[in-house]
Amino acid sequence: MTSHTPLLYIETYGCQMNVNDSEVVASLMCGQGYAMCSAAESADLVLVNTCSIRENAEQRVWGRLAELRALKRKKPQLMLGVIGCMAERLKEQLLEKEQSVDVVVGPDAYRDLPNLVSMAKAGQKGVNVELLREETYAEIEPVRYNSNGVSAFVSIMRGCNNACSYCVVPYTRGAERSRNTQSILREVQALISGGYKEVTLLGQNVDSYRALAEDENGKTETCNFARLLDQVALLSPQLRVRFSTSHPKDMSNEVLHVMAQHRNICKSIHLPAQSGSTRVLELMHRKYTREEYLERIAAIRSILPACSISTDLIAGFCTETEDDHRQTLSLMREVGYDFAFMFMYSERPNTKAARRYKDDVPEEVKMRRLNEIIALQSELSLKAKLPYVGKALEVLAEGFSKKSNEQLFGRTSQNMVVVFPRGSHSVGEYLTVTPTRCTSATLIAD
Ligand code: 5AD
Ligand code: SF4
């Protein structure tokens, strides 16, 4: 009998958290004898790790599932699984509408995957979408199968306890829980030993990280995010530390001071505003006003003068008026964001907003407002980069540029992308680059 190593292909949609979850899933499945492969066509098991954040994210997955159904017709022994947020939200529909789906597994049930795949092979659908209050996959060492060997995501918590009225995440990922501190430090240490140069600590709301940890004298005490960040930064001065996402209502000065103390904590903060209008923020249940948000920005500017600030913005939330929209534009100018993720509001079934408010901003108005936001951000992004042209910047080389193998790209501490001639440099190296020009997205050294 010839033995065949079963091949697993994972396709990931959505956020950085999902990227890291796929690495956890890879670890669990490789522990059961699977090996990773890089195309659905060559796989024995295809897992689609899905996102529900906006309707178009789900539409993309439905489209992809139709393609995979066709692949399965040609190759009937192929097992197909849907995992992640859509699995959690749409279990029934997935099983009904897409007969080709063999397993459906929610974000907290990945340990059950090997068992569910076995069930599916025996002819039964393998389904588990239970949300578990305790699950953090703390001791599982993610298999970073798509990695550049330089940067890695490290999950520090799961779930979310904020009840933003537009957001589906608390329903798909469950309640917030923090991962054990020692297991995080061990994972980062292993990454350092493996040659990694950068970690991004991930959580839906990193500022509410809270776990019990032992201090150097063996006494148990609470470790908050500031302390965790401090301990991670101390592991190696050669390791860059980033984190995402901060919440304006929770981001503390203590965290900002820890950032100021460590050269290796990158000076870049992602602080989603969502809207510049206090009235809309209240409907969104964000629990801060425009003024309170600006107070946090002022704290960043005073404690970390060279810090870049990025944000998320939603155009056309329920009841948003032209005046509310202008307040978003004016907030953007006032902060002078370096970068932004910008979205049209997409109503998600069963969220507070869907239950309580009417999605009453017409599609074309949403679109126009979004385009105005995008146009303004592109001006601001350019303006934020110009001061760096002609300056010597420390860059960590992260990979080859998309355009040419003769060019590398990397990022500055402020998270700005720099493209530069490869010369004798290699990926994973820190080097000094002086950009000669820039676009709104990239600094370029000729
Ligand atoms: N519609 C549009 N954008 C959304 N986001 C979250 N939920 C929605 C929604 N229903 C955006 C927010 C969040 C980011 C991850 O996605 O800006 O910060
Ligand atoms: Fe990530 Fe949210 Fe999408 Fe889930 S719904 S994958 S948490 S962005």
Side-chain angles (χ1 to χ4, degrees), residues 53-54 166-168 270 272 274 286 312-314 341 343-348:
I53 198 92
R54 281 168 293 275
Y166 50 80
C167 189
V168 77
H270 188 62
Q274 313 299 1
R286 291 289 290 174
D312 292 348
L313 296 165
I314 298 178
F341 292 107
F343 312 103
M344 266 202 301
Y345 173 58
S346 161
E347 186 178 86
R348 307 314 291 132

Short mmCIF file of all heavy atoms in Angstrom, two decimals, residues 53-54 166-168 270 272 274 286 312-314 341 343-348, ligand 1:
data_model
loop_
_atom_site.label_atom_id
_atom_site.label_comp_id
_atom_site.label_asym_id
_atom_site.label_seq_id
_atom_site.Cartn_x
_atom_site.Cartn_y
_atom_site.Cartn_z
N ILE A 53 -17.90 40.59 8.08
CA ILE A 53 -17.95 41.98 8.55
C ILE A 53 -18.86 42.86 7.70
O ILE A 53 -19.59 43.69 8.22
CB ILE A 53 -16.52 42.57 8.66
CG1 ILE A 53 -16.50 43.82 9.54
CG2 ILE A 53 -15.90 42.88 7.32
CD1 ILE A 53 -16.24 43.56 10.95
N ARG A 54 -18.80 42.68 6.37
CA ARG A 54 -19.71 43.42 5.48
C ARG A 54 -20.30 42.43 4.49
O ARG A 54 -19.75 41.35 4.27
CB ARG A 54 -18.93 44.51 4.72
CG ARG A 54 -18.67 45.76 5.56
CD ARG A 54 -17.67 46.67 4.90
NE ARG A 54 -16.36 46.04 4.87
CZ ARG A 54 -15.49 46.07 5.86
NH1 ARG A 54 -15.75 46.74 6.96
NH2 ARG A 54 -14.34 45.46 5.76
N TYR A 166 -23.21 48.44 14.81
CA TYR A 166 -23.14 47.99 13.41
C TYR A 166 -22.44 46.65 13.26
O TYR A 166 -22.44 46.06 12.18
CB TYR A 166 -22.36 49.03 12.57
CG TYR A 166 -21.03 49.42 13.20
CD1 TYR A 166 -19.92 48.60 13.08
CD2 TYR A 166 -20.92 50.58 13.95
CE1 TYR A 166 -18.74 48.92 13.70
CE2 TYR A 166 -19.72 50.93 14.56
CZ TYR A 166 -18.64 50.09 14.43
OH TYR A 166 -17.47 50.41 15.05
N CYS A 167 -21.83 46.14 14.33
CA CYS A 167 -20.80 45.11 14.15
C CYS A 167 -21.25 43.69 14.49
O CYS A 167 -21.90 43.43 15.50
CB CYS A 167 -19.59 45.47 15.01
SG CYS A 167 -18.19 44.41 14.64
N VAL A 168 -20.85 42.77 13.65
CA VAL A 168 -21.25 41.39 13.76
C VAL A 168 -20.27 40.56 14.62
O VAL A 168 -20.60 39.47 15.08
CB VAL A 168 -21.36 40.80 12.31
CG1 VAL A 168 -19.99 40.48 11.74
CG2 VAL A 168 -22.28 39.63 12.24
N HIS A 270 -3.23 52.41 15.48
CA HIS A 270 -4.47 52.32 14.71
C HIS A 270 -5.63 52.58 15.67
O HIS A 270 -5.87 51.77 16.57
CB HIS A 270 -4.58 50.93 14.07
CG HIS A 270 -5.74 50.84 13.12
ND1 HIS A 270 -5.82 51.61 11.99
CD2 HIS A 270 -6.88 50.10 13.16
CE1 HIS A 270 -6.95 51.33 11.35
NE2 HIS A 270 -7.61 50.42 12.05
N PRO A 272 -9.43 53.39 15.45
CA PRO A 272 -10.63 53.57 14.65
C PRO A 272 -11.57 54.64 15.23
O PRO A 272 -11.94 54.57 16.39
CB PRO A 272 -11.30 52.19 14.68
CG PRO A 272 -10.17 51.25 14.93
CD PRO A 272 -9.24 51.98 15.86
N GLN A 274 -14.42 55.72 13.24
CA GLN A 274 -15.72 55.33 12.64
C GLN A 274 -16.51 56.54 12.14
O GLN A 274 -17.06 56.51 11.04
CB GLN A 274 -16.58 54.48 13.57
CG GLN A 274 -15.87 53.33 14.27
CD GLN A 274 -15.29 52.27 13.35
OE1 GLN A 274 -15.36 52.37 12.14
NE2 GLN A 274 -14.63 51.28 13.93
N ARG A 286 -20.32 53.74 20.37
CA ARG A 286 -18.87 53.71 20.49
C ARG A 286 -18.39 54.15 21.87
O ARG A 286 -17.22 54.00 22.23
CB ARG A 286 -18.24 54.59 19.39
CG ARG A 286 -18.41 54.02 18.00
CD ARG A 286 -17.56 52.80 17.78
NE ARG A 286 -16.14 53.14 17.73
CZ ARG A 286 -15.17 52.23 17.66
NH1 ARG A 286 -15.46 50.94 17.66
NH2 ARG A 286 -13.91 52.60 17.60
N ASP A 312 -10.21 53.69 11.09
CA ASP A 312 -11.27 53.09 10.27
C ASP A 312 -12.42 54.09 10.24
O ASP A 312 -12.74 54.68 11.28
CB ASP A 312 -11.82 51.80 10.91
CG ASP A 312 -10.82 50.66 10.93
OD1 ASP A 312 -9.78 50.76 10.26
OD2 ASP A 312 -11.09 49.65 11.63
N LEU A 313 -13.05 54.23 9.08
CA LEU A 313 -14.19 55.15 8.97
C LEU A 313 -15.33 54.46 8.23
O LEU A 313 -15.11 53.73 7.26
CB LEU A 313 -13.78 56.41 8.21
CG LEU A 313 -12.72 57.28 8.90
CD1 LEU A 313 -12.13 58.27 7.92
CD2 LEU A 313 -13.31 58.00 10.12
N ILE A 314 -16.55 54.73 8.68
CA ILE A 314 -17.73 54.18 8.02
C ILE A 314 -18.55 55.33 7.45
O ILE A 314 -18.89 56.27 8.18
CB ILE A 314 -18.60 53.36 9.01
CG1 ILE A 314 -17.80 52.18 9.55
CG2 ILE A 314 -19.89 52.90 8.33
CD1 ILE A 314 -18.54 51.34 10.58
N PHE A 341 -8.64 52.89 6.72
CA PHE A 341 -9.50 51.91 6.06
C PHE A 341 -10.88 52.54 6.03
O PHE A 341 -11.41 52.95 7.07
CB PHE A 341 -9.57 50.60 6.86
CG PHE A 341 -8.28 49.84 6.88
CD1 PHE A 341 -7.49 49.80 8.03
CD2 PHE A 341 -7.83 49.15 5.75
CE1 PHE A 341 -6.30 49.09 8.06
CE2 PHE A 341 -6.65 48.43 5.78
CZ PHE A 341 -5.88 48.41 6.93
N PHE A 343 -14.99 52.49 4.68
CA PHE A 343 -16.05 51.57 4.26
C PHE A 343 -17.38 52.27 4.13
O PHE A 343 -17.65 53.25 4.81
CB PHE A 343 -16.22 50.46 5.31
CG PHE A 343 -14.93 49.82 5.75
CD1 PHE A 343 -14.36 50.15 6.97
CD2 PHE A 343 -14.29 48.91 4.93
CE1 PHE A 343 -13.18 49.56 7.38
CE2 PHE A 343 -13.12 48.30 5.33
CZ PHE A 343 -12.55 48.64 6.55
N MET A 344 -18.25 51.70 3.28
CA MET A 344 -19.64 52.08 3.26
C MET A 344 -20.35 51.24 4.30
O MET A 344 -20.07 50.04 4.42
CB MET A 344 -20.25 51.73 1.90
CG MET A 344 -20.21 52.86 0.93
SD MET A 344 -21.44 52.65 -0.33
CE MET A 344 -21.04 51.15 -1.10
N TYR A 345 -21.29 51.83 5.01
CA TYR A 345 -22.03 51.05 5.99
C TYR A 345 -22.78 49.91 5.31
O TYR A 345 -23.43 50.09 4.29
CB TYR A 345 -23.03 51.94 6.75
CG TYR A 345 -23.93 51.13 7.65
CD1 TYR A 345 -23.38 50.33 8.65
CD2 TYR A 345 -25.31 51.14 7.50
CE1 TYR A 345 -24.19 49.55 9.47
CE2 TYR A 345 -26.13 50.36 8.31
CZ TYR A 345 -25.56 49.57 9.29
OH TYR A 345 -26.37 48.79 10.09
N SER A 346 -22.68 48.73 5.90
CA SER A 346 -23.35 47.55 5.38
C SER A 346 -24.13 46.94 6.54
O SER A 346 -23.55 46.54 7.55
CB SER A 346 -22.26 46.59 4.86
OG SER A 346 -22.73 45.29 4.75
N GLU A 347 -25.44 46.93 6.41
CA GLU A 347 -26.25 46.41 7.52
C GLU A 347 -26.03 44.92 7.71
O GLU A 347 -26.10 44.15 6.75
CB GLU A 347 -27.73 46.68 7.25
CG GLU A 347 -28.60 46.29 8.43
CD GLU A 347 -30.07 46.60 8.18
OE1 GLU A 347 -30.76 45.75 7.58
OE2 GLU A 347 -30.50 47.70 8.56
N ARG A 348 -25.76 44.51 8.93
CA ARG A 348 -25.56 43.10 9.23
C ARG A 348 -26.74 42.57 10.02
O ARG A 348 -27.09 43.15 11.06
CB ARG A 348 -24.25 42.87 10.03
CG ARG A 348 -23.00 43.46 9.43
CD ARG A 348 -22.85 43.20 7.93
NE ARG A 348 -22.59 41.82 7.59
CZ ARG A 348 -23.24 41.14 6.65
NH1 ARG A 348 -24.20 41.71 5.95
NH2 ARG A 348 -22.92 39.89 6.39
N1 5AD B 1 -20.41 48.10 7.79
C1 5AD B 1 -19.31 48.75 7.36
N2 5AD B 1 -18.12 48.71 8.00
C2 5AD B 1 -18.05 47.97 9.14
N3 5AD B 1 -17.04 47.74 9.98
C3 5AD B 1 -17.48 46.92 10.94
N4 5AD B 1 -18.78 46.62 10.76
C4 5AD B 1 -19.16 47.26 9.63
C5 5AD B 1 -20.38 47.35 8.92
N5 5AD B 1 -21.47 46.72 9.34
C6 5AD B 1 -15.72 48.34 9.83
C7 5AD B 1 -15.36 49.20 11.03
C8 5AD B 1 -14.37 48.34 11.76
C9 5AD B 1 -13.69 47.61 10.62
C10 5AD B 1 -12.95 46.39 11.01
O1 5AD B 1 -14.75 47.32 9.75
O2 5AD B 1 -14.77 50.38 10.57
O3 5AD B 1 -13.46 49.10 12.54
#
